Amino acid sequence: MEIIDFVGYTFSGGIIILYVMEKAERVVRIIKLMFEEQIDEAVTIIKKSIPKKKKTDELEV
């Protein structure tokens, strides 16, 4: 009976670990998406605030 109990506990523990890993992966994915969106917005704002180089700034040879 000890072997059967051990296998049962191991199997149950494995299922619980997989369940927790799946939930953690979802949370990480959601957080990653939130921060990527903010980073994209920040990059867009920075690009808009930097003045673009004009052709008149170039020297003619």
Side-chain angles (χ1 to χ4, degrees):
M1 288 301 278
E2 291 178 18
I3 293 174
I4 294 172
D5 290 341
F6 178 73
V7 170
Y9 294 140
T10 305
F11 185 71
S12 299
I15 291 174
I16 292 170
I17 289 171
L18 289 176
Y19 177 77
V20 170
M21 285 175 52
E22 181 182 342
K23 294 295 181 185
E25 183 181 351
R26 286 183 184 175
V27 170
V28 168
R29 193 179 314 141
I30 290 170
I31 291 172
K32 190 175 178 183
L33 286 173
M34 286 171 47
F35 281 114
E36 282 180 9
E37 194 172 295
Q38 289 178 355
I39 290 171
D40 289 342
E41 288 177 13
V43 169
T44 306
I45 292 169
I46 290 171
K47 283 183 178 178
K48 287 181 181 177
S49 66
I50 296 175
K52 293 187 178 184
K53 189 175 181 181
K54 298 179 182 177
K55 286 193 172 192
T56 56
D57 292 344
E58 297 176 3
L59 294 173
E60 294 183 16
V61 179

